[in-house]
Amino acid sequence: MSSALVFFTDLNSAPGKAQRELLTLASRFDTTIVAVASEISTEAREVLGNYAIDTVWQAANTGHGFGEHELAVLDTALQQTDADLVLLGNDSFSREIGARIAVRRQAALVTDVIDVSAELIATKDELAGSYSASVKSTTGVLIAAVKPNSIDDAPLAAPGTVQVNDLELQSAQESLVSVVAVEDKVASERPSLSEARVVVAGGRGVDGDFGPLEDLADALGAAIGASRAATDAGWISHDAQVGQTGITVSPQLYISAGISGAIQQKAGMQTSKFIIAVNKDVDAPVFEIADLGIVGDLSKVLPQAAAEIRRRRA
Ligand SMILES: Cc1cc2nc3c(=O)[nH]c(=O)nc-3n(C[C@H](O)[C@H](O)[C@H](O)COP(=O)(O)OP(=O)(O)OC[C@H]3O[C@@H](n4cnc5c(N)ncnc54)[C@H](O)[C@@H]3O)c2cc1C
């Protein structure tokens, strides 16, 4: 009998695709528990009813900390279950919580997971998807941070309703730091970079003007990504950086424009299903991994592509 515990840092709105993938994966195990470090919204409760979940816990977050609340929720949930497996997101905050709980409980954290078998063997991407490895925990619970777009979302044919219970925290800890200011980010209409099915990414070749990329992204419903050269230049926020020291993406389509294709950039996007590269240098390394290469000036190619997509969709 194996038991999977899905941990979400919050469910203030309906679960996104990556979160639903975690629910699908968890529901393959004998017992499925969900612990959420926030109150669960009405929309989220409805979606949870689409999966075979045995227990749902919520614990409202009343303050700003550095993950202490989230850590206490996951720790308490683990104390109250015999979960063999914790599933959480592969975003940096979830992985941080995973690492901290792993230290606290002498458990194994495996990141970049793309599947977990019934025998609790995690399959994970190595070296940015160059090969995959099968990993088994040799100690206690396996904590798996699962990459988005790895699992086929499979809700129940006959959805039900879930009962949400309040989790009484056992292990709240004093924070060693205090937060002196919190600034909300301006919400974007675009899909989140790590989950988007289409990413349009720009590099030094955009020369400070992401306008043509944003226009193409709007035409495609895509997220915007960037190389480190572009984020370091301050042309776009650091959150958009794709690569070894940025976000790893694996969309259906990655359009790389004005990016040379350095190894550190490839590390974050080479598992994309289809790669289109636009570069004016025929020898740019990005063409080695591109499924379709366009040698040309992005300021001419991208507007034509956006116009043609809009024309065909009209
Ligand atoms: C430890 C470490 C970690 C790093 N992590 C990352 C990371 O996470 N992500 C990342 O991206 N990089 C990372 N880098 C940096 C990486 O090595 C490269 O320097 C960076 O990716 C280069 O960005 P770029 O391709 O935009 O710029 P460049 O290499 O300068 O390439 C610009 C490209 O644009 C093309 N171009 C110019 N004008 C046009 C035009 N008008 N139309 C079409 N094409 C045009 C050029 O032909 C060229 O190929 C890291 C480096 C180190 C050492």
Side-chain angles (χ1 to χ4, degrees), residues 55 75 235:
T55 307
D75 204 10
W235 299 336

Side-chain angles (χ1 to χ4, degrees), residues 200-202 206 209-217 219 255-258 276-278 294 296-310:
V200 180
V206 308
D209 179 10
F210 266 75
L213 283 88
E214 285 170 356
D215 188 43
L216 180 60
I255 301 178
S256 159
I276 299 178
V278 183
I294 301 169
D297 185 337
L298 68 91
S299 66
K300 298 198 173 65
V301 175
L302 300 191
Q304 288 179 53
E308 183 61 18
I309 289 161
R310 289 202 171 93

Side-chain angles (χ1 to χ4, degrees), residues 105-108 136-142:
R105 300 194 140 248
Q106 294 291 293
K136 192 166 171 53
S137 167
T138 55
T139 171
V141 180
L142 169 67

Side-chain angles (χ1 to χ4, degrees), residues 244-261:
Q244 183 185 316
T245 42
I247 290 178
T248 301
V249 297
S250 196
Q252 300 294 318
L253 172 62
Y254 186 91
I255 301 178
S256 159
I259 298 179
S260 58

Side-chain angles (χ1 to χ4, degrees), residues 10-302:
D10 73 75
L11 276 185
N12 297 322
S13 52
K17 183 168 177 291
Q19 292 171 316
R20 298 197 308 272
E21 289 180 35
L22 292 184
L23 295 170
T24 298
L25 179 54
S27 56
R28 293 182 197 159
F29 294 86
D30 300 311
T31 311
T32 304
I33 305 135
V34 173
V36 185
S38 76
E39 275 184 355
I40 302 176
S41 70
T42 314
E43 308 93 284
R45 285 170 194 236
E46 278 171 22
V47 175
L48 291 178
N50 294 339
Y51 298 85
I53 301 170
D54 299 285
T55 307
V56 179
W57 280 313
Q58 65 176 3
N61 191 355
T62 49
H64 292 292
F66 271 93
E68 289 80 15
H69 173 74
E70 289 77 3
L71 197 56
V73 172
L74 182 50
D75 204 10
T76 306
L78 276 170
Q79 284 170 36
Q80 298 195 9
T81 61
D82 53 358
D84 314 284
L85 172 67
V86 174
L87 297 172
L88 34 74
N90 202 44
D91 58 282
S92 53
F93 186 48
S94 300
R95 288 192 310 198
E96 181 186 319
I97 301 302
R100 287 165 71 176
I101 199 79
V103 170
R104 194 180 277 190
R105 300 194 140 248
Q106 294 291 293
L109 169 66
V110 184
T111 57
D112 293 333
V113 169
I114 52 173
D115 202 4
V116 182
S117 73
E119 294 74 35
L120 297 175
I121 294 175
T123 307
K124 69 166 281 176
D125 274 348
E126 286 285 1
L127 291 177
S130 306
Y131 62 93
S132 66
S134 299
V135 186
K136 192 166 171 53
S137 167
T138 55
T139 171
V141 180
L142 169 67
I143 303 170
V146 182
K147 279 176 80 169
N149 298 322
S150 301
I151 309 290
D152 285 334
D153 180 23
L156 292 170
T161 50
V162 289
Q163 192 195 328
V164 175
N165 304 301
D166 288 323
L167 186 66
E168 203 170 307
L169 299 187
Q170 309 285 322
S171 58
Q173 280 199 338
E174 281 296 307
S175 176
L176 299 178
V177 289
S178 66
V179 179
V180 290
V182 175
E183 218 171 285
D184 282 336
K185 261 180 65 178
V186 181
S188 162
E189 304 261 299
R190 297 213 169 84
S192 88
L193 181 56
S194 56
E195 290 182 22
R197 292 174 63 80
V198 182
V199 172
V200 180
R204 203 191 306 274
V206 308
D207 200 18
D209 179 10
F210 266 75
L213 283 88
E214 285 170 356
D215 188 43
L216 180 60
D218 287 343
L220 288 165
I224 295 278
S227 73
R228 188 160 111 176
T231 57
D232 280 356
W235 299 336
I236 187 160
S237 139
H238 280 282
D239 301 352
Q241 184 182 314
V242 172
Q244 183 185 316
T245 42
I247 290 178
T248 301
V249 297
S250 196
Q252 300 294 318
L253 172 62
Y254 186 91
I255 301 178
S256 159
I259 298 179
S260 58
I263 183 82
Q264 297 90 352
Q265 156 72 200
K266 284 182 187 164
M269 45 66 77
Q270 66 187 9
T271 57
S272 303
K273 306 285 179 301
F274 197 89
I275 298 170
I276 299 178
V278 183
N279 197 301
K280 64 182 187 184
D281 176 6
V282 70
D283 294 322
V286 68
F287 288 130
E288 292 162 13
I289 57 160
D291 298 287
L292 174 68
I294 301 169
V295 181
D297 185 337
L298 68 91
S299 66
K300 298 198 173 65
V301 175
L302 300 191

